Amino acid sequence: MCGIIARIGHGDATETLLSGLENLEYRGYDSAGIAVQNGSGVKVRKCSGEVDELKSSLEQSLHGNMGIGHTRWSTHGPPTDENAHPHTDTAGDVAVVHNGVIDNYDELRAELQARGHEFDSDTDTEVIPHLIDDYREQFGDTERAVREAVETLEGSYAIAAIVDGEERVYAAREGSPLVLGLDDEEWYLASDVPAFLEHTDEVIYLEDGDLVVLEPDDYRITDVAGSPIERSVDTVDWDPEDAGKGEYDHYMAKEIDTQPTALSNTIEGRVEDGNVAFEDLPAGTFADIETVQFVACGTSYHAAMYGSQLLRSAGVRADVLRASEYDQTAGPVDENTLVVAVTQSGETADTLDAVRKATDRGARSLAVTNVVGSTAARETDDAIYIRAGPEVGVAATKTFSSQAVTLALLTQRIAADVPTATPVEDREAMLESLADLPEHVETVLETTNAESLAREYFDSDSYFFIGNGLGHSVALEGALKFKEITYEHAEGFASGELKHGPLALVTPETPLFAVATGGDDKKTKTNAIEARTRGAPIIAVAPDDHPLADAADWQLSIPDTHPVWAGLLANVQLQLVSYHAAALLERPIDKPRNLAKSVTVE
């Protein structure tokens, strides 16, 4: 989950490293550091806290045409100066940054200490520069030392290293993302494309087992044994401005506001003559599928719930499973099972692990992701892209909307192939109304009263969110968003479950958000009324003429649309409530405590 940046070329690297780290802070912001090499030693500066604190701590400029940087999400050891990356060997000649977890670090650390190596941190990462140093002494060759070191490591890693006196950056990947950026006069390495998108859109997505050597005018990719590897160069179609904050105070505000554009991109070309079309999924692709398993985590899990329910409505057996619990919940899996991995980044460790286990059991696999060239896209049989563009705020907003729409379309595409499936009632009307969704989201953004509502209730004791059917997943997502960025207690429930325990917690200080989709909302209204009789303020998230509005104290209005899409409009209103409440509470909205955007460790 940490962010890595490396750069080598002509001219100074320091500003590029620092700006790259700022662009990667969504991956972790417990501590930050850089190391540069300029022919007079490896110079390291690092500290706990965010990248701004690192910049402020640079008492003197660091200069060098090559360097590495890191922004940390803590796993081994608390966020202290000592545990910040880069880490070095005892002499300070080798500096390393690392994303991942080294499983055998205890054993390696003990062996290295027995040979005289001195350690300064609690991290697993620190064994890596010591290993490289140890093998350099043994073989007298740094490239071989790096190869030997990574072969010794067990676990997951993306590594970048520099060495005193060498104009090279060494890097390797196993289980953690790493991408190579190519420019005319410099090369970049990073955990994610936004780190260097302002400099180049030409990239190579590295794969597990790749080892890279960058020099000022050249790069080489080999396997760990040293055999050359050819990797294709891709062009990223994201605009550099999409990865910036622009005029907004927070990335989250910008990403909520740009949902109409993201949804237009998601939908474009995927509904033709009343049918769903995915270019790489021709008719008959899913003809032999009997069961579909959606696997995901966090917000992606809620989007997967959306898709799973729609597929079941079409008569196809479908389950949504938490990727972290796949071993315990998967049930029978065979060649007639389709596993759909829903992951914004395409690098979520638990989701990748679940897909690999399902594939080993004979299942077909398909990724629904936002990132071309991601591990999920490469390792599955097929991939569909949600086309949401870069999302920097840790709390997912536009990617949830784009995931849900993509999955809704995918369910109709699957149902068209499965012989036993039945068409969703009013399918034609559903697909026709999808064209209006971006405009309807724009209407929500222009007319919302979410800020006023947030001012009324931002100091409450707790917050409940309920919904039935497709509204249930929206209620869960609304509660997750609220707790993520406000740090206030929030819970989501299926409407009918409120009276089976949670109602005991309802007080006049427990606002209840009731999500109406225009489907079967009777349970939502009934349970909202029950909560209101116990004193809870009720906020209806519903069209103006919906019966639920009559039972509510406040209303967050949504345009009247097909029930399949109404929940996504309600979700935008709930995102806005969370955002404004967090702003009133003065929370760090884009960088909520303890969280990172791309969870690449299990």
Side-chain angles (χ1 to χ4, degrees):
M1 306 198 321
C2 307
I4 288 174
I5 177 73
R7 182 268 192 195
I8 186 170
H10 304 283
D12 190 55
T14 302
E15 286 303 316
T16 302
L17 295 174
L18 291 171
S19 65
L21 291 181
E22 289 177 321
N23 293 338
L24 288 173
E25 276 199 292
Y26 60 88
R27 300 183 64 90
Y29 31 86
D30 291 341
S31 59
I34 62 172
V36 299
Q37 210 284 103
N38 58 10
S40 59
V42 173
K43 308 298 184 184
V44 176
R45 298 288 187 276
K46 59 183 183 175
C47 66
S48 60
E50 299 180 5
V51 175
D52 279 346
E53 294 176 60
L54 172 66
K55 293 170 72 173
S56 298
S57 72
L58 295 177
E59 298 175 358
Q60 58 186 28
S61 297
L62 298 181
H63 295 294
N65 70 314
M66 54 179 287
I68 55 178
H70 188 272
T71 181
R72 183 174 184 240
W73 188 85
S74 303
T75 53
H76 294 75
T80 63
D81 292 356
E82 292 79 13
N83 290 333
H85 299 216
H87 289 286
T88 64
D89 64 322
T90 304
D93 293 335
V94 180
V96 169
V97 292
H98 163 231
N99 175 26
V101 175
I102 305 303
D103 295 333
N104 60 336
Y105 85 99
D106 274 333
E107 172 190 339
L108 293 174
R109 183 177 179 127
E111 292 174 359
L112 289 161
Q113 285 176 322
R115 294 200 290 272
H117 291 262
E118 298 176 2
F119 286 76
D120 298 317
S121 77
D122 304 313
T123 69
D124 54 336
T125 302
E126 196 178 0
V127 300
I128 302 172
H130 287 277
L131 271 178
I132 294 173
D133 175 60
D134 208 59
Y135 284 122
R136 285 179 77 221
E137 289 189 12
Q138 186 174 341
F139 299 113
D141 178 86
T142 301
E143 187 170 338
R144 181 174 178 184
V146 173
R147 297 185 194 286
E148 296 288 345
V150 298
E151 283 199 292
T152 306
L153 300 175
E154 297 174 7
S156 63
Y157 53 80
I159 297 165
I162 58 175
V163 177
D164 182 25
E166 297 188 20
E167 278 201 297
R168 287 180 171 184
V169 175
Y170 300 90
R173 166 191 170 142
E174 183 66 43
S176 291
L178 197 60
V179 59
L180 172 60
L182 310 177
D183 201 3
D184 291 337
E185 295 186 350
E186 51 196 11
W187 318 120
Y188 305 89
L189 283 162
S191 302
D192 206 351
V193 171
F196 53 70
L197 188 57
E198 63 193 273
H199 300 287
T200 182
D201 59 1
E202 298 294 311
V203 303
I204 295 175
Y205 293 99
L206 301 173
E207 300 188 19
D208 286 351
D210 286 359
L211 193 144
V212 185
V213 180
L214 305 183
E215 297 176 320
D217 299 302
D218 194 18
Y219 70 90
R220 291 181 287 112
I221 305 174
T222 70
D223 61 19
V224 176
S227 300
I229 293 174
E230 293 291 330
R231 296 281 182 231
S232 62
V233 178
D234 293 316
T235 301
V236 179
D237 62 1
W238 291 348
D239 188 322
E241 290 188 7
D242 292 342
K245 206 160 32 177
E247 63 185 11
Y248 292 87
D249 292 332
H250 301 96
Y251 284 106
M252 185 179 181
K254 177 185 177 182
E255 288 155 6
I256 291 173
D257 261 13
T258 55
Q259 284 179 104
T261 300
L263 288 168
S264 294
N265 293 336
T266 299
I267 297 165
E268 184 179 3
R270 288 177 168 172
V271 178
E272 297 177 355
D273 300 323
N275 294 307
V276 176
F278 287 101
E279 183 176 308
D280 296 326
L281 302 174
T285 298
F286 305 109
D288 58 348
I289 295 302
E290 297 175 0
T291 302
V292 178
Q293 294 182 338
F294 296 87
V295 294
C297 302
T299 287
S300 295
Y301 179 82
H302 299 151
M305 288 179 64
Y306 216 87
S308 178
Q309 181 169 341
L310 287 171
L311 197 53
R312 287 195 297 271
S313 297
V316 179
R317 180 180 174 183
D319 301 304
V320 56
L321 307 172
R322 288 183 172 84
S324 59
E325 299 174 352
Y326 188 79
D327 274 346
Q328 292 75 40
T329 60
V333 174
D334 58 26
E335 66 275 8
N336 301 120
T337 303
L338 174 67
V339 173
V340 179
V342 188
T343 162
Q344 186 278 138
S345 67
E347 304 293 349
T348 308
D350 286 322
T351 304
L352 293 172
D353 183 62
V355 171
R356 289 162 184 158
K357 288 173 178 173
T359 301
D360 288 344
R361 294 162 67 179
R364 285 183 53 192
S365 59
L366 184 151
V368 175
T369 184
N370 196 34
V371 182
V372 176
S374 61
T375 301
R378 293 198 310 270
E379 292 193 3
T380 51
D381 297 316
D382 296 288
I384 297 174
Y385 298 102
I386 68 172
R387 305 172 178 168
E391 185 177 68
V392 177
V394 169
T397 51
K398 64 176 180 173
T399 56
F400 172 80
S401 300
S402 291
Q403 282 177 333
V405 168
T406 303
L407 288 167
L409 293 174
L410 175 63
T411 63
Q412 304 311 298
R413 180 65 197 79
I414 293 171
D417 279 351
V418 176
T420 57
T422 55
V424 173
E425 189 177 345
D426 71 352
R427 176 176 174 275
E428 185 175 342
M430 179 190 94
L431 293 177
E432 285 181 359
S433 62
L434 176 59
D436 296 325
L437 184 60
E439 182 179 341
H440 284 162
V441 172
E442 192 71 56
T443 298
V444 170
L445 295 170
E446 291 174 352
T447 62
T448 183
N449 59 335
E451 185 173 7
S452 297
L453 187 147
R455 288 187 181 279
E456 180 75 15
Y457 295 117
F458 78 95
D459 58 350
S460 299
D461 292 341
S462 190
Y463 303 82
F464 282 2
F465 298 73
I466 63 170
N468 192 48
L470 292 173
H472 179 208
S473 58
V474 173
L476 293 176
E477 175 61 14
L480 175 62
K481 214 57 50 195
F482 200 90
K483 70 182 74 173
E484 276 182 318
I485 63 169
T486 69
Y487 308 160
E488 300 298 312
H489 177 247
E491 294 295 338
F493 307 99
S495 298
E497 290 301 303
L498 191 64
K499 58 184 171 288
H500 295 287
L503 199 59
L505 299 175
V506 167
T507 74
E509 294 300 316
T510 313
L512 185 141
F513 294 82
V515 176
T517 63
D520 184 3
D521 295 321
K522 292 179 182 178
K523 289 183 180 179
T524 304
K525 182 178 178 181
T526 299
N527 283 271
I529 291 172
E530 288 185 359
R532 190 179 186 187
T533 63
R534 274 86 178 163
I538 305 302
I539 300 97
V541 193
D544 286 339
D545 58 353
H546 195 282
L548 183 59
D550 297 333
D553 301 283
W554 279 73
Q555 182 177 6
L556 292 167
S557 180
I558 61 174
D560 195 12
T561 187
H562 192 280
V564 168
W565 313 122
L568 301 184
L569 299 175
N571 177 66
V572 175
Q573 287 281 26
L574 296 179
Q575 290 172 352
L576 290 164
V577 171
S578 297
Y579 174 80
H580 289 300
L584 289 165
L585 292 164
E586 299 183 348
R587 308 301 193 210
I589 291 173
D590 289 332
K591 302 172 186 177
R593 68 186 179 202
N594 304 331
L595 300 178
K597 188 165 191 66
S598 181
V599 185
T600 58
V601 296
E602 293 181 31

